[in-house]
Amino acid sequence: MERITFQNEESGFAVLRLQPAGKDHLVTVVGKLAAVHVGEHLRLRGRWTSHPQHGRQFEVHDYRVVLPTSVEGIRKYLGSGLVRGIGPVMADRLVRHFGARTLTVIEEEPERLTEAPGIGPARARAIQAAWREQQAIKELMLFLAEHEVSTTLGVGIYRQYGDEAVRVVRETPYRLARDVRGIGFRTADQIARRLGYAPDAPDRAMAALSHVLWEATEEGHVYLPADELLQRAETLLGLPAARLQQALDALAAEGEVEIESRVTGAGGAPAVYLRPLARAEQGLAGRLRGLLHAPTDRLALWQRVDFARAFAWLRERSGVELAPVQAEAVRAALTQRVVVLTGGPGTGKTTTVRGLLALLRAKRGTYLLASPTGKAAKRLSEATGAPAKTLHRLLGLGFDGQAAHDADRPLDADLIVVDEASMLDLLLANQLVRAVPRGAHLLLVGDADQLPSVGAGNVLADLIASQQVPVVRLEVIFRQAAQSGIVVNAHRILHGEPPDLRSFPDFRFVAADDPEEALARLRALVTETLPRQYGLDPRRDIQVLTPMRVGRLGSDHLNQILQAALNPPAPGKAERAFGGRVFRVGDRVLCVRNDYRRETFNGDGGLLQQLDPVGQTLEVALDDGRIVQYDFADLDTLQHAYALSVHRAQGSEYEAVVLLLHPQHYLLLQRNLLYTAVTRARRLVIILGSRRALAIALHNTRRAERYSGLAARLRGLPREVGACSTS
């Protein structure tokens, strides 16, 4: 094979250019050809056809890969980048030394690799390991292609199961849905059915129930009522409820799920939890009650403080003048074990925290500041003048997901302040509270009117709804903030009033009712208008937001358009195709999965600054200044970030936000989504699209319901409750 003209990694369809053995010309080959690479020798069976546009070509029915045997074939094969660590130079060095036996040496006598110039023992071991991994992945990909499954999943499956991958897939295909990121029940079911599993197999029903519960967590639910779970699974499988109930009982017996009759849905059905979420909710509620009623108090001296004198001292020494409700919040944080401080932009949350920390320092109290994302932590540090960390780094979450700080090894501070608390999902909140030391105080600061966490749960709203935790609300916009169109219009939106689109230079509306017109104006705004008028860097300062990920005006398609406009391909600019996307040096990217080994977490962003096709790695310069290396196999943990969904942008702040709103987004046009998007901007908001869509979002106060038992557990579960919270 000389060249890949086209390849669809999802379907396996490819257009190749091959040089037939003993010929001096190329032919075009088309068909499903998975896991094939330049330099490989293929033995093909099929038929010759004539395409009206592309002419004569060979249509493949089946094929197999044959390792090259000639010196030139081996040089081309190894130099293609197929094997990690071997590029054209290394391939030439190996072939010059070992000739036609090069592949045999790598496969059977790898200790001899050190005979070649420039190859030491460490490099020889790396080549051997990369060769074996590549051969195993190729075997797996061919197996997947045979069963018409996307070969892009092959690397993830191999990473999970190693050399046992084909055996695991063949013998227990439903494990894939639980164990491998990117493989859901439907893909595992497709494999299983092709391998001969019966439609009513117990493993299939159990896997489907587990899949439905995991899918529900993507919607934010902590549990599902049993009747809703069975109904969703019945729709998915078409099996009778009795058979599904048997499967549910089997999952409970194995400990994969927990069924709680004390927590119920609106219809009174018991709640079915995935075990990790059940334990997290139970633990979080218990530990919060323990904090609220702890017999010890590390800040007990503040019970005797004259706060009128303290606030006067603060005003004189620090110049911080607290409004009465801000003073109330500071007093609560210093005298109550757990407090929620909530309010919109411009209401003085940051000033309140600054005043709190100044008073605490005056009495030699200790504190820790944290936020769920790196950007939010950096912003908190800048605003308070005190160091702040992400929660993941504060807790010391390691490679295995275990925390350095927990109940046995708590954090050391009198007060822990967590900003952007609306982003706290159930699992992270539980890990946080586990690490709060006995007698310490916890202050959760957030905007309860924003969208809830991306992960399962509705922690901030549940704490407020439980009425068990002191809550202080800041509602008055301070005079300086009232000059900002972003702040003023955010509050107008919050109260259902149309934003003022005429009075503020930092808040504009650009009309574009037609989707294609919206795309054209978006390109012009991001590439020309905003950089020219405001001096903004389009890749670092301007963030395009949209309600949805899919569709013509969804973030996936917008990323393609903006990548082509802001970072087009160019000679010498390295790139790598993966899963239907192309990652290119200079791209704006975002981490979408916690990676404890690299200490990168969901929401960390940066620029792709280097790509090594030989080493099969790339480097991302993160916004916090760190340089992080990724393997090509880990590209599913990154996504392009020229455009993001509003949900994905939570906790971040950008110099300028361009928000697309169109009737195409109808299902997600909600007031709290509009409010969240507007409050992501620091200097400028541009709403681009349809006035009708803006009006729909403004007047739609419906909030997605999330099944959660946290509020009820905090109240002590006095009776069976319908634990469905809004967000």
Side-chain angles (χ1 to χ4, degrees):
M1 184 165 70
E2 294 286 338
R3 185 168 70 250
I4 298 175
T5 303
F6 172 81
Q7 189 171 46
N8 186 312
E9 294 176 321
E10 294 297 318
S11 67
F13 180 81
V15 179
L16 314 176
R17 294 285 283 170
L18 274 74
Q19 181 177 348
K23 307 291 184 181
D24 60 358
H25 63 274
L26 300 181
V27 299
T28 299
V29 173
V30 300
K32 289 193 173 182
L33 295 128
V36 293
H37 297 85
V38 171
E40 287 183 325
H41 287 217
L42 307 177
R43 184 162 293 155
L44 311 167
R45 188 171 65 85
R47 66 190 182 96
W48 287 101
T49 63
S50 181
H51 190 277
Q53 182 177 352
H54 302 294
R56 194 166 185 256
Q57 54 191 27
F58 192 78
E59 186 179 284
V60 176
H61 294 167
D62 60 62
Y63 71 99
R64 66 187 181 94
V65 178
V66 182
L67 290 177
T69 56
S70 69
V71 169
E72 186 55 36
I74 294 171
R75 180 183 286 109
K76 186 177 295 185
Y77 177 67
L78 288 178
S80 67
L82 172 65
V83 181
R84 183 202 302 267
I86 302 181
V89 174
M90 182 64 68
D92 184 65
R93 194 177 296 166
L94 288 168
V95 171
R96 281 179 179 273
H97 189 81
F98 296 111
R101 297 196 73 252
T102 300
L103 299 184
T104 303
V105 170
I106 295 174
E107 177 77 37
E108 300 175 4
E109 304 173 87
E111 68 281 355
R112 289 190 57 201
L113 290 172
T114 55
E115 297 174 11
I119 298 182
R123 174 63 67 87
R125 287 192 296 271
I127 291 173
Q128 180 190 13
W131 173 264
R132 288 183 175 175
E133 177 180 305
Q134 179 57 39
Q135 295 302 106
I137 291 174
K138 178 177 284 293
E139 178 191 3
L140 175 61
M141 286 182 169
L142 291 172
F143 175 82
L144 295 176
E146 180 184 340
H147 294 89
E148 297 189 2
V149 177
S150 170
T151 58
T152 59
L153 305 173
V155 174
I157 296 173
Y158 180 80
R159 284 284 177 91
Q160 182 69 31
Y161 304 119
D163 292 340
E164 295 291 298
V166 172
R167 183 189 63 78
V168 170
V169 174
R170 182 179 284 116
E171 295 178 4
T172 54
Y174 288 109
R175 281 183 59 186
L176 299 175
R178 293 198 304 267
D179 296 346
V180 183
R181 175 180 169 84
I183 297 184
F185 170 79
R186 290 175 179 83
T187 300
D189 192 43
Q190 176 187 343
I191 297 171
R193 298 296 295 276
R194 286 187 159 273
L195 291 172
Y197 276 70
D200 60 350
D203 281 358
R204 184 172 186 249
M206 293 169 67
L209 289 166
S210 180
H211 163 73
V212 170
L213 285 171
W214 281 112
E215 198 173 53
T217 68
E218 297 291 322
E219 302 168 20
H221 298 304
V222 179
Y223 71 84
L224 283 181
D227 54 359
E228 184 172 337
L229 170 62
L230 294 175
Q231 184 179 18
R232 290 192 187 195
E234 186 176 355
T235 301
L236 181 65
L237 296 181
L239 294 176
R243 178 61 59 88
L244 292 169
Q245 183 64 56
Q246 292 174 359
L248 180 57
D249 293 339
L251 282 175
E254 291 184 2
E256 187 169 337
V257 303
E258 292 190 14
I259 303 174
E260 290 207 35
S261 58
R262 293 194 306 159
V263 178
T264 64
V272 183
Y273 290 81
L274 291 163
R275 189 178 189 187
L277 292 174
R279 296 301 170 87
E281 189 176 90
Q282 295 158 5
L284 177 58
R287 291 182 183 93
L288 281 170
R289 287 202 305 270
L291 286 177
L292 286 165
H293 306 294
T296 59
D297 187 352
R298 292 178 61 148
L299 295 175
L301 66 89
W302 289 94
Q303 302 291 342
R304 303 183 299 274
V305 163
D306 182 339
F307 275 95
R309 292 182 60 189
F311 292 137
W313 174 89
L314 179 65
R315 183 170 55 252
E316 293 168 7
R317 292 291 295 269
S318 305
V320 177
E321 177 75 45
L322 296 179
V325 69
Q326 291 175 304
E328 177 193 344
V330 171
R331 183 197 298 263
L334 292 171
T335 58
Q336 304 285 336
R337 309 296 202 288
V338 183
V339 174
V340 170
L341 172 62
T342 185
T347 57
K349 296 191 297 295
T350 301
T351 300
T352 303
V353 173
R354 278 205 306 266
L356 167 65
L357 299 183
L359 288 178
L360 192 62
R361 283 192 294 265
K363 295 291 187 180
R364 300 188 183 281
T366 59
Y367 57 85
L368 292 169
L369 307 182
S371 189
T373 68
K375 280 191 174 181
K378 183 179 180 182
R379 192 168 66 249
L380 177 62
S381 180
E382 292 170 349
T384 60
K389 297 181 178 180
T390 64
L391 279 170
H392 296 88
R393 293 192 179 91
L394 180 73
L395 298 172
L397 289 167
F399 173 63
D400 55 0
Q402 298 298 310
H405 296 286
D406 54 21
D408 298 323
R409 297 157 295 182
L411 298 163
D412 185 16
D414 301 324
L415 171 69
I416 297 171
V417 179
V418 178
D419 195 19
E420 295 287 355
S422 64
M423 297 182 65
L424 278 175
D425 62 36
L426 178 68
L427 296 175
L428 185 56
N430 181 49
Q431 288 181 302
L432 164 67
V433 175
R434 286 183 67 195
V436 176
R438 187 186 300 263
H441 291 208
L442 176 63
L443 174 63
L444 300 175
V445 183
D447 188 342
D449 294 305
Q450 288 186 19
L451 291 170
S453 59
V454 175
N458 200 11
V459 173
L460 186 65
D462 283 347
L463 291 179
I464 295 171
S466 74
Q467 300 182 328
Q468 303 299 302
V469 177
V471 178
V472 180
R473 297 178 184 273
L474 304 179
E475 297 179 323
V476 177
I477 305 176
F478 283 85
R479 184 170 54 192
Q480 185 176 357
Q483 300 172 11
S484 163
I486 297 171
V487 171
V488 170
N489 282 327
H491 285 270
R492 288 178 66 90
I493 289 167
L494 192 57
H495 294 97
E497 302 172 14
D500 184 342
L501 303 175
R502 297 178 180 274
S503 304
F504 299 98
D506 62 348
F507 202 105
R508 295 168 48 194
F509 181 85
V510 176
D513 291 324
D514 179 73
E516 297 308 313
E517 179 188 12
L519 292 175
R521 294 199 169 186
L522 175 67
R523 274 191 295 265
L525 279 169
V526 173
T527 61
E528 300 172 16
T529 308
L530 299 185
R532 184 179 68 250
Q533 292 183 357
Y534 296 90
L536 297 170
D537 182 326
R539 283 186 294 176
R540 294 185 181 274
D541 300 331
I542 303 171
Q543 184 60 61
V544 175
L545 299 181
T546 179
M548 301 177 74
R549 185 178 64 81
V550 298
R552 188 73 176 160
L553 299 180
S555 59
D556 286 352
H557 184 237
L558 295 179
N559 271 314
Q560 294 178 26
I561 289 174
L562 293 171
Q563 182 193 38
L566 296 172
N567 191 31
K573 186 184 288 186
E575 60 181 44
R576 171 74 177 188
F578 182 88
R581 297 169 292 161
V582 175
F583 289 91
R584 187 174 296 131
V585 169
D587 276 341
R588 181 78 188 165
V589 295
L590 188 79
C591 308
V592 294
R593 188 171 70 185
N594 293 337
D595 187 331
Y596 302 105
R597 178 165 57 91
R598 294 183 177 87
E599 291 192 356
T600 56
F601 302 102
N602 193 347
D604 288 346
L607 290 177
L608 198 167
Q609 68 170 19
Q610 187 174 331
L611 194 149
D612 178 7
V614 175
Q616 298 184 10
T617 61
L618 55 85
E619 287 185 353
V620 176
L622 295 177
D623 294 334
D624 63 10
R626 291 182 299 135
I627 306 296
V628 179
Q629 186 178 87
Y630 287 86
D631 296 334
F632 284 173
D634 296 323
L635 284 172
D636 64 334
T637 68
L638 297 175
Q639 74 170 45
H640 292 95
Y642 300 100
L644 298 175
S645 68
V646 177
H647 230 133
R648 180 64 71 185
Q650 267 187 286
S652 295
E653 192 175 72
Y654 311 97
E655 289 298 303
V657 163
V658 179
L659 172 64
L660 250 70
L661 288 181
H662 191 272
Q664 283 189 4
H665 302 133
Y666 182 80
L667 292 176
L668 290 177
L669 292 176
Q670 298 168 203
R671 184 183 297 175
N672 63 341
L673 180 139
L674 175 59
Y675 173 77
T676 301
V678 165
T679 54
R680 298 309 88 209
R682 183 184 293 120
R683 285 176 54 192
L684 177 68
V685 169
I686 306 282
I687 297 179
L688 169 63
S690 156
R691 291 183 183 274
R692 176 168 167 258
L694 175 60
I696 292 171
L698 186 66
H699 294 106
N700 182 7
T701 58
R702 176 180 58 83
R703 293 181 172 225
E705 293 183 340
R706 291 188 169 193
Y707 289 113
S708 165
L710 179 59
R713 291 185 195 278
L714 288 171
R715 291 191 292 264
L717 288 171
R719 55 187 173 82
E720 291 191 346
V721 293
C724 200
S725 64
T726 57
S727 56

